[in-house]
Amino acid sequence: MRAAGLATRFAGITLAAMTLAACAHRPPPAPADPLARVATWLQGDFDNRAQAAADPRFLPLRLRWTPLWPERDDGRWFLVEQALAGAATPYRRRIQRLQAERDGVRIDVFLLPRGFPDAAAADALAALDPETLRPQPGCAVYLHAEADGRLRGGTAGRDCPSRLRGASWTRADVELDGERVRSWDRGFDADGNQVWGSEIGAYEFRRAGNPQERQVRN
């Protein structure tokens, strides 16, 4: 399948990239600070194989969040990779930055520079200049801590534009704890009608038991 076809087919599954390289499905400790909590929880490998096995309407996917530029003081940066289960390489890569935002966390989304190799190695990614990234205005996700310890949130109103399959704007809803990420991305036309994305609910990604067994990227 061509990369463009994959991008269209999986348009309703963005943001889903959040994990921790932890042992056998055990959630990591939950830091009190929301930014530290999200950065801890969103590092490593996740998949939705249990959901896909129970309901074939959900594609089986794998996700990886890899920290970038730990020396920077302008937020927590991550490379986010998404792949079909069993695929050797990801069909989508994004850069995301976490920053403290009022009583929660804002996740900004960036595209890699134009012409950057799709299969670039980790050292090439680490050598990237963040100033060359392409920001996606209006597409930030805002997460807020709930009484149960989880973080929930999404994009703001109709601020995130989209031209895919007749859409005018997109909506991303996200919920996460130390073990699981639920992500529901949808596209809507100017009248508010949904034109792409899951119509039955969010994709549910659980922490992979052994990150070495299910790698998103070789």
Side-chain angles (χ1 to χ4, degrees):
M1 184 178 291
R2 296 180 180 176
L6 282 172
T8 299
R9 187 178 181 188
F10 306 131
I13 317 167
T14 59
L15 274 185
M18 306 174 176
T19 53
L20 186 297
C23 300
H25 302 278
R26 293 180 182 176
D33 173 60
L35 178 60
R37 190 185 313 172
V38 175
T40 298
W41 285 351
L42 303 186
Q43 178 179 329
D45 296 83
F46 275 57
D47 64 51
N48 74 323
R49 58 178 179 166
Q51 181 188 45
D55 188 339
R57 291 176 295 180
F58 290 97
L59 294 166
L61 303 174
R62 296 175 295 133
L63 303 171
R64 170 173 289 177
W65 277 55
T66 303
L68 288 175
W69 311 314
E71 73 282 357
R72 294 186 65 90
D73 60 3
D74 58 346
R76 307 287 188 92
W77 293 83
F78 287 87
L79 167 68
V80 184
E81 297 172 290
Q82 307 176 26
L84 278 171
T89 57
Y91 63 80
R92 175 172 295 149
R93 279 175 155 180
R94 296 288 185 268
I95 303 294
Q96 297 188 2
R97 179 180 62 186
L98 282 57
Q99 290 185 312
E101 176 75 12
R102 297 187 294 275
D103 59 341
V105 175
R106 185 179 75 246
I107 303 178
D108 295 311
V109 181
F110 300 83
L111 302 183
L112 291 167
R114 298 186 189 279
F116 193 81
D118 289 339
D123 54 352
L125 288 159
L128 267 176
D129 180 353
E131 298 300 323
T132 66
L133 300 176
R134 294 177 287 154
Q136 301 298 287
C139 297
V141 169
Y142 298 87
L143 297 175
H144 301 279
E146 302 286 347
D148 60 6
R150 300 182 182 183
L151 288 107
R152 296 182 178 91
T155 49
R158 301 187 176 194
D159 293 346
C160 186
S162 173
R163 296 180 180 177
L164 182 65
R165 294 167 56 184
S168 176
W169 56 281
T170 69
R171 170 73 190 177
D173 293 287
V174 178
E175 175 187 314
L176 63 139
D177 55 35
E179 181 181 354
R180 176 178 57 187
V181 174
R182 302 182 77 247
S183 178
W184 193 5
D185 286 21
R186 291 161 288 172
F188 299 87
D189 64 21
D191 296 323
N193 301 305
Q194 184 176 341
V195 295
W196 57 256
S198 171
E199 297 181 354
I200 55 175
Y203 272 70
E204 184 171 302
F205 299 92
R206 291 183 176 272
R207 189 174 307 284
N210 184 348
Q212 300 304 317
E213 293 177 358
R214 291 184 292 278
Q215 294 185 353
V216 173
R217 174 167 46 85
N218 289 343

